[in-house]
């Protein structure tokens, strides 16, 4: 567990780079129940999510959010996927920062790539 936490701490600055200060809404944290991974994006489905306000509030209100792979370099894509899979396998809650710039694919809330396993 200490290794996972240390890895998350080391990855945090890498995952947070280039994110606008206004991107502060989060999904409230919940275990991942299902993931749909597509070539250009992933949809992460959780047990329950907090409602978003601002521009992200106009996205489809659901228990899901997206990660758009083209927003990140290949190494960051791998780290994000590893965190998502680790969270799901361990049954741990994961929290993400939701973009204030609008919706992602399928008109679902879009993650900035900032993730926290709880």
């Amino acid at each position: 567990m200490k290794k996972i936490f240390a890895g998350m701490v080391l990855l945090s600055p890498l995952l947070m780079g280039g994110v606008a200060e206004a991107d502060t809404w989060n999904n409230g944290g919940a275990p991942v129940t299902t993931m749909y991974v597509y070539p250009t994006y992933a949809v992460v489905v959780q047990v329950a999510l907090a409602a978003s306000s601002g521009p992200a509030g106009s996205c489809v209100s659901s228990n899901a959010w997206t990660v758009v792979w083209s927003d990140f370099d290949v190494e960051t894509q791998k780290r994000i996927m590893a965190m998502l899979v680790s969270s799901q396998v361990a049954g741990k809650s994961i929290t993400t920062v939701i973009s204030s710039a609008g919706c992602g694919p399928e008109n679902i809330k879009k993650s900035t790539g900032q993730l926290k396993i709880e």
Side-chain angles (χ1 to χ4, degrees), residues 4-49:
I4 292 173
F5 178 75
M8 288 188 304
V9 169
L10 291 173
L11 291 175
S12 294
L14 296 172
L15 294 176
M16 292 181 198
V19 176
E21 189 66 35
D23 295 336
T24 57
W25 301 291
N26 67 55
N27 65 326
V32 174
T33 58
T34 308
M35 282 190 293
Y36 300 94
V37 180
Y38 303 103
T40 57
Y41 66 99
V43 174
V44 179
V45 181
Q46 293 178 276
V47 176
L49 298 177

Side-chain angles (χ1 to χ4, degrees), residues 7-8 11-12 15 30 35-36 40 43-44 47 65 67-68 76 80 89 93 103 110 112 115:
M8 288 188 304
L11 291 175
S12 294
L15 294 176
M35 282 190 293
Y36 300 94
T40 57
V43 174
V44 179
V47 176
W65 46 274
V67 175
V68 178
T76 303
I80 291 170
V89 169
S93 291
C103 307
K110 180 180 171 185
T112 63
L115 305 171

